[in-house]
Amino acid sequence: MNGAYLDNASATPVRKEVLDVMLPYFNEHFANPSNVYDIGSEIKQVVEEQRAKVANLINAKPEEIIFTSSGAEANNMAIKGVAFARQKKGKHIIVSSIEHHSVLNSVRFLERLDFEVTFLPVDEHGLIDPARLSKAIRPETILVSIMHANNEIGTIEPISELAANCKENGIIFHTDGVASVGNTQVDVNELNVDLLSLSGPALGAPKGIGALFFNKGVRLMPLIHGGIQENGRRAGTENVPGIVGLGTAAELVSRDLPGTENHCRKLRNRLVNGILDRVEKVTYTGHPDKRLPGHASFCFEAIEGEALIFMLAQAGIYTNTGSACASKALKTSPVLGAIGIRADLAQGSTVFTINGNNTEKEIDYVLEKLPPIVDRLRELSPIWGKEIPEYEKDVCAH
Amino acid sequence: MNGAYLDNASATPVRKEVLDVMLPYFNEHFANPSNVYDIGSEIKQVVEEQRAKVANLINAKPEEIIFTSSGAEANNMAIKGVAFARQKKGKHIIVSSIEHHSVLNSVRFLERLDFEVTFLPVDEHGLIDPARLSKAIRPETILVSIMHANNEIGTIEPISELAANCKENGIIFHTDGVASVGNTQVDVNELNVDLLSLSGPALGAPKGIGALFFNKGVRLMPLIHGGIQENGRRAGTENVPGIVGLGTAAELVSRDLPGTENHCRKLRNRLVNGILDRVEKVTYTGHPDKRLPGHASFCFEAIEGEALIFMLAQAGIYTNTGSACASKALKTSPVLGAIGIRADLAQGSTVFTINGNNTEKEIDYVLEKLPPIVDRLRELSPIWGKEIPEYEKDVCAH
């Protein structure tokens, strides 16, 4: 059957080369790396080799990588870890208003513990203005967290400029790299960040593994307290097969990335141009150029995104309304609200995420199937072709 | 080559039947369970089936199970989750002095946030006295956490009695079941607990998966904030292969457990009697009867536990000095200090953990190899056969 899996930001199959390397670590080389005897220290060495591979992918040092169970855990660990370690210095944190839930809900938790949080607005493309960040900085600001690339609209933020601003003021800078690492070149030195979160599945590693890069000078309270794993920074027996998966995947991504980026950009452009040519009244959201190479996001007028997702899935085409983590919350996206998309239009949000496994044939299949599905849904829509009343045009609330 | 793997509490190979069931979830059925389309909701259903299997193992309801990345995460989530959710009611917490590091270091973190913690002493077998717990309870006590079974000395605590005490006073009771679930029958209703942590590897599931049981009435702040996974209680894309591994392993353990317990108890008794018969000046630590069926722990006089572990490993026998999580910290064990073992004796701590895969032949191999190794180490020991000076006899410090 024809089809196209274009929801790679939600989930990707583990790469076969990765799974093959992981397998012996489930029941052959199964020892606990914390143990001092031979079969334990052999595994410890394997874990350290993977740490070096992950570090290499983002131009970090091996000792600057902490393995976590997900990108969400890495974000929580960065935000809460810095907040709890530095709270005597100040209790003010700045984040963008389009951060992932794992950042937004971490700072909301801290607000309940008397931290103060500033949510920076973005422009119509989702960009943060460095001057605006400068103005938001106070003497008691201890942490700024601004994502590298946005998962819903693909926009890439000017991280190195934003971070430079903070470094001058002794403020720790964290960036959520979950949407970017694996999809575009990421260099923590170029970005000039103190902390960066990444997720395994985005690289072709399995679910259940992620990592946090931290600059060695950063004081960080553990999120998971306990034993001395990860140099005392993250307790719990190491997920050795997952770590081997992440290291192996990082190595493959390091090797393939420039080619993959070009491939994804080409397919993405074909998809975007094709949709804009064939479908009327559709808004391409996010920044036109400063965006992830494999990311295309649209709002289709007079359509419920969820209905479109379902209809496309029936044709074997998999896409998303926005963030998988919130897709069952059935609210309009705060990200689309932040870039000024009208509430009625935001309902029709659809996100396509392309990776190295996708083909031109899949894109052409989408371009064949999507326009008639949009037409059919619009025929059924009570608002298609009608003037939208003013009160319905409100930008969707945060 | 002959050998005996008797460090099952540190790590176990993933059961073959478990790995076989997990495999398709890495790259065939790889979708994100949060997605609404067909291949997403199919995975969601698979996850819910595993939740029911884990619940069944401990006589809980499926909706009372939260998947985590480890037992350590479950312990952190329980302790901090209750503390942050109930801090307006009071800031006093009671734990035993022999808890796992993931509990002890979680409450020490809370002490820094102005919580007060009482560490309950234990008797010479490691048992908590329920009357002592009653006396420690204050009006502002919000949480008691006492482990079900201790990982270093195998002692099983009188949890139902201890918990009954707390329930009467509206205090939440958590138990760390990482050492017990999988090794002995655990029923959360019989235990009468509000929260119980468990770890996947103890059941033959892979590293990187664990779970927290919580009584539905318990208010719990998430440890990992973000999306709405796990009913809003634990963010991050679900580790689907790990969850399938845990569910499958739980099902097998439910089926096999009474037999496995008998098998382990028989081998353990053979090992204990054999060692006590063949080796002089050795202390069997923990409770003689109220202990995990597959658990045997000793302190060998005038021997460094670590040296013994190394020598045994050279003969293909794998054991532990205590907790793998702390084995590189090179301190004497606080647990052994708490049961009044002299500091010099605590150095010679060695823990054997037996599971369903072990055989009588392995035990007999240990009984053949261990005594001459102990003799050789004692010959090299500067203190063997000498009177220990009084100041060296101090109980090891907490």
Side-chain angles (χ1 to χ4, degrees):
Chain A
M1 189 187 130
N2 275 322
Y5 184 76
L6 298 174
D7 193 15
N8 288 291
S10 278
T12 51
V14 176
R15 288 177 72 152
K16 194 184 171 311
E17 313 93 292
V18 170
L19 186 57
D20 287 346
V21 180
M22 285 170 62
L23 278 181
Y25 294 92
F26 286 107
N27 47 16
E28 262 178 76
H29 308 305
F30 68 85
N32 189 318
S34 292
N35 281 327
V36 289
Y37 46 62
D38 54 356
I39 59 171
S41 50
E42 281 161 26
I43 302 289
K44 174 76 180 160
Q45 200 184 316
V46 170
V47 167
E48 294 316 308
E49 286 163 14
Q50 313 312 309
R51 204 185 300 282
K53 291 176 192 172
V54 174
N56 180 57
L57 175 65
I58 57 171
N59 195 21
K61 299 189 192 83
E63 63 271 25
E64 294 173 329
I65 301 295
I66 303 167
F67 291 114
T68 67
S69 68
S70 64
E73 185 192 326
N75 279 338
N76 274 258
M77 183 173 176
I79 305 272
K80 298 176 192 171
V82 170
F84 286 127
R86 300 193 92 204
Q87 61 179 323
K88 279 189 186 149
K89 201 173 170 335
K91 296 187 95 170
H92 180 238
I93 296 170
I94 303 172
V95 301
S96 89
S97 49
I98 60 166
E99 293 299 309
H100 187 261
H101 297 278
S102 51
V103 169
L104 291 179
N105 289 342
S106 288
V107 296
R108 285 190 189 121
F109 160 71
L110 291 170
E111 281 182 319
R112 296 177 57 164
L113 301 177
D114 297 327
F115 284 80
E116 256 194 286
V117 182
T118 300
F119 298 86
L120 285 181
V122 293
D123 72 10
E124 73 274 24
H125 296 123
L127 285 173
I128 297 276
D129 175 3
R132 207 147 193 173
L133 171 59
S134 295
K135 272 187 210 147
I137 289 173
R138 309 182 197 161
E140 64 272 22
T141 308
I142 53 169
L143 171 67
V144 172
S145 180
I146 295 173
M147 68 204 319
H148 187 202
N150 183 278
N151 48 312
E152 284 183 60
I153 56 173
T155 300
I156 296 178
E157 301 293 341
I159 296 298
S160 58
E161 252 183 282
L162 296 164
N165 238 324
C166 295
K167 289 249 164 143
E168 278 169 26
N169 294 283
I171 299 164
I172 302 295
F173 192 97
H174 166 253
T175 193
D176 172 0
V178 169
S180 62
V181 178
N183 292 310
T184 189
Q185 303 270 7
V186 173
D187 178 322
V188 292
N189 288 319
E190 269 179 29
L191 291 180
N192 198 16
V193 295
D194 298 300
L195 297 140
L196 176 141
S197 308
L198 65 90
S199 163
L203 310 181
K207 298 175 182 71
I209 190 76
L212 178 65
F213 154 81
F214 73 106
N215 182 316
K216 280 210 84 177
V218 176
R219 279 176 46 226
L220 208 55
M221 176 70 72
L223 180 69
I224 302 180
H225 284 90
I228 55 164
Q229 294 92 351
E230 299 293 310
N231 222 355
R233 294 180 188 275
R234 198 262 185 189
T237 300
E238 296 87 342
N239 173 1
V240 178
I243 289 171
V244 169
L246 182 57
T248 309
E251 200 173 22
L252 293 171
V253 169
S254 299
R255 186 192 69 189
D256 298 340
L257 196 55
T260 317
E261 275 198 85
N262 285 335
H263 172 82
C264 293
R265 192 176 289 109
K266 211 180 116 208
L267 295 190
R268 194 266 318 275
N269 292 346
R270 188 178 184 89
L271 179 72
V272 172
N273 295 333
I275 289 179
L276 297 178
D277 277 355
R278 286 166 178 78
V279 182
E280 61 173 329
K281 302 216 169 172
V282 55
T283 305
Y284 183 38
T285 58
H287 199 282
D289 311 311
K290 292 173 187 166
R291 68 184 300 144
L292 292 169
H295 193 287
S297 49
F298 303 92
C299 288
F300 294 91
E301 211 175 294
I303 278 186
E304 290 277 345
E306 202 138 312
L308 183 57
I309 302 301
F310 273 119
M311 297 278 284
L312 288 171
Q314 283 184 2
I317 297 167
Y318 294 97
T319 62
N320 211 297
T321 50
S323 159
C325 311
S327 60
K328 283 186 179 156
L330 294 173
K331 291 187 215 154
T332 47
S333 154
V335 174
L336 299 178
I339 62 170
I341 298 283
R342 290 196 329 254
D344 67 293
L345 199 54
Q347 295 288 341
S349 159
T350 309
V351 179
F352 301 81
T353 44
I354 295 164
N355 81 2
N357 295 324
N358 290 120
T359 61
E360 209 170 272
K361 199 177 150 220
E362 287 178 291
I363 303 299
D364 291 344
Y365 180 71
V366 175
L367 294 176
E368 178 202 327
K369 290 291 176 185
L370 175 80
I373 289 174
V374 168
D375 286 346
R376 210 169 333 145
L377 287 170
R378 281 176 172 169
E379 278 164 28
L380 299 170
S381 164
I383 58 168
W384 174 242
K386 300 210 176 110
E387 188 63 31
I388 306 294
E390 277 310 312
Y391 64 87
E392 292 260 337
K393 282 187 181 165
D394 286 351
V395 162
C396 46
H398 266 237
Chain B
M1 188 188 131
N2 275 323
Y5 184 77
L6 298 174
D7 193 16
N8 288 290
S10 276
T12 52
V14 176
R15 290 177 71 151
K16 193 185 172 307
E17 314 94 290
V18 170
L19 186 58
D20 286 347
V21 179
M22 286 170 61
L23 278 180
Y25 293 92
F26 285 107
N27 48 16
E28 262 178 75
H29 309 304
F30 67 85
N32 189 317
S34 293
N35 281 327
V36 289
Y37 47 61
D38 53 357
I39 59 171
S41 49
E42 280 160 25
I43 302 290
K44 173 77 181 159
Q45 200 185 316
V46 169
V47 168
E48 295 315 309
E49 286 163 13
Q50 312 313 310
R51 203 185 300 282
K53 291 175 192 172
V54 174
N56 180 58
L57 175 65
I58 56 171
N59 195 21
K61 299 188 193 82
E63 63 270 24
E64 293 174 329
I65 300 295
I66 302 167
F67 290 114
T68 67
S69 68
S70 65
E73 185 193 326
N75 279 339
N76 275 258
M77 183 173 176
I79 306 273
K80 299 176 192 170
V82 169
F84 286 128
R86 301 193 90 203
Q87 60 178 324
K88 281 189 184 149
K89 201 171 169 334
K91 297 186 95 169
H92 180 239
I93 296 171
I94 303 171
V95 301
S96 88
S97 50
I98 60 166
E99 294 299 309
H100 187 260
H101 297 279
S102 51
V103 168
L104 291 179
N105 289 342
S106 288
V107 297
R108 284 190 189 121
F109 160 72
L110 291 170
E111 281 182 318
R112 296 176 59 164
L113 300 177
D114 297 327
F115 283 80
E116 256 195 285
V117 182
T118 300
F119 297 86
L120 286 181
V122 294
D123 71 12
E124 74 274 23
H125 295 122
L127 285 174
I128 297 277
D129 175 3
R132 206 147 193 172
L133 171 59
S134 295
K135 272 187 212 148
I137 289 174
R138 308 182 197 161
E140 64 274 21
T141 308
I142 52 169
L143 171 68
V144 172
S145 180
I146 295 172
M147 69 203 319
H148 187 202
N150 183 277
N151 48 311
E152 284 183 59
I153 54 173
T155 301
I156 296 178
E157 300 294 341
I159 296 298
S160 58
E161 252 182 284
L162 296 163
N165 239 324
C166 295
K167 289 249 164 144
E168 277 169 26
N169 293 284
I171 298 164
I172 302 295
F173 193 96
H174 167 253
T175 192
D176 172 1
V178 169
S180 61
V181 179
N183 292 310
T184 188
Q185 302 271 7
V186 173
D187 178 322
V188 292
N189 289 318
E190 269 178 29
L191 292 180
N192 199 16
V193 295
D194 297 302
L195 298 139
L196 176 142
S197 307
L198 65 91
S199 162
L203 310 181
K207 298 176 182 72
I209 190 76
L212 179 64
F213 155 79
F214 74 106
N215 182 316
K216 282 210 82 177
V218 175
R219 279 174 48 225
L220 208 55
M221 176 69 73
L223 181 70
I224 302 179
H225 284 90
I228 54 164
Q229 294 92 350
E230 299 294 308
N231 221 357
R233 293 178 188 275
R234 200 261 182 188
T237 300
E238 296 87 341
N239 173 1
V240 178
I243 289 171
V244 169
L246 182 57
T248 309
E251 200 172 22
L252 293 172
V253 170
S254 299
R255 187 193 68 190
D256 298 340
L257 195 54
T260 317
E261 274 197 86
N262 285 335
H263 173 81
C264 292
R265 191 176 290 110
K266 210 179 117 209
L267 295 189
R268 194 265 321 273
N269 292 346
R270 189 179 184 90
L271 178 72
V272 173
N273 295 332
I275 289 179
L276 297 178
D277 277 354
R278 286 167 179 77
V279 182
E280 62 173 329
K281 302 219 170 171
V282 54
T283 306
Y284 183 38
T285 57
H287 200 282
D289 311 310
K290 293 173 185 167
R291 68 184 300 143
L292 292 169
H295 192 287
S297 50
F298 303 91
C299 287
F300 293 92
E301 211 175 294
I303 279 186
E304 290 277 343
E306 202 138 310
L308 183 57
I309 302 302
F310 272 119
M311 296 279 282
L312 288 171
Q314 283 184 3
I317 297 168
Y318 295 98
T319 62
N320 210 297
T321 50
S323 159
C325 311
S327 61
K328 283 186 180 156
L330 292 174
K331 290 187 216 155
T332 46
S333 154
V335 173
L336 298 179
I339 62 170
I341 298 282
R342 291 195 330 253
D344 67 292
L345 198 55
Q347 295 287 343
S349 160
T350 310
V351 179
F352 301 81
T353 44
I354 295 164
N355 80 2
N357 296 325
N358 290 120
T359 61
E360 210 169 271
K361 199 178 150 218
E362 286 178 293
I363 302 299
D364 291 344
Y365 180 70
V366 175
L367 294 178
E368 177 201 328
K369 291 289 177 188
L370 176 80
I373 290 174
V374 169
D375 286 346
R376 210 170 332 145
L377 286 170
R378 282 178 172 167
E379 278 164 28
L380 298 170
S381 164
I383 58 169
W384 176 240
K386 301 212 175 108
E387 189 65 28
I388 306 294
E390 279 309 312
Y391 64 87
E392 292 261 337
K393 282 187 181 166
D394 285 352
V395 162
C396 47
H398 266 239

